[in-house]
């Protein structure tokens, strides 16, 4: 699934609703694979499965993570 999402780099809105944890993400650990969405303005993700949000999204306005396992939003400075 990550590769499919990675190919959609021009998305402006992402809304993933995984109420019953049926989406599976192949990752060697709890870290999110790096993704880049330069035009993304809105991100909503239910049952976010990773410990950090590793998405390059400089134009995002709304980030809504519901029932997330998030421990750190991102590392470093975001301007």
């Amino acid at each position: 699934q990550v590769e499919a999402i990675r190919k959609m780099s021009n998305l402006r809105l992402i809304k993933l609703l995984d109420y019953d944890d049926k989406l599976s993400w192949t990752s060697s650990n709890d870290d999110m694979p790096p993704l880049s969405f330069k035009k993304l303005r809105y991100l909503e993700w239910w049952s976010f499965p990773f410990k950090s949000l590793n998405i390059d999204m400089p134009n995002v306005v709304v980030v809504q993570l519901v029932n997330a396992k998030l421990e750190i939003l991102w590392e470093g400075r975001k301007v």
Side-chain angles (χ1 to χ4, degrees):
Q1 296 97 354
V2 172
E3 287 306 315
I5 291 174
R6 187 174 280 137
K7 292 177 185 177
M8 297 184 265
S9 60
N10 288 323
L11 292 175
R12 294 178 187 260
L13 180 144
I14 297 175
K15 188 171 186 174
L16 294 170
L17 306 175
D18 186 17
Y19 300 116
D20 47 11
D21 293 323
K22 288 190 178 179
L23 287 177
S24 64
W25 300 92
T26 54
S27 181
S28 59
N29 52 33
D30 291 332
D31 294 328
M32 179 177 196
L35 297 171
S36 179
F37 296 101
K38 302 290 186 189
K39 297 180 181 180
L40 189 67
R41 306 282 290 163
Y42 181 94
L43 173 65
E44 181 177 346
W45 194 330
W46 287 65
S47 298
F48 183 77
F50 302 107
K51 289 184 178 181
S52 66
L53 185 60
N54 193 11
I55 302 176
D56 179 25
M57 46 185 181
N59 294 306
V60 75
V61 176
V62 175
V63 175
Q64 187 173 18
L65 303 174
V66 181
N67 296 328
K69 295 179 182 176
L70 195 65
E71 292 179 6
I72 184 169
L73 190 54
W74 51 62
E75 292 186 25
R77 187 174 140 183
K78 300 288 182 185
V79 183

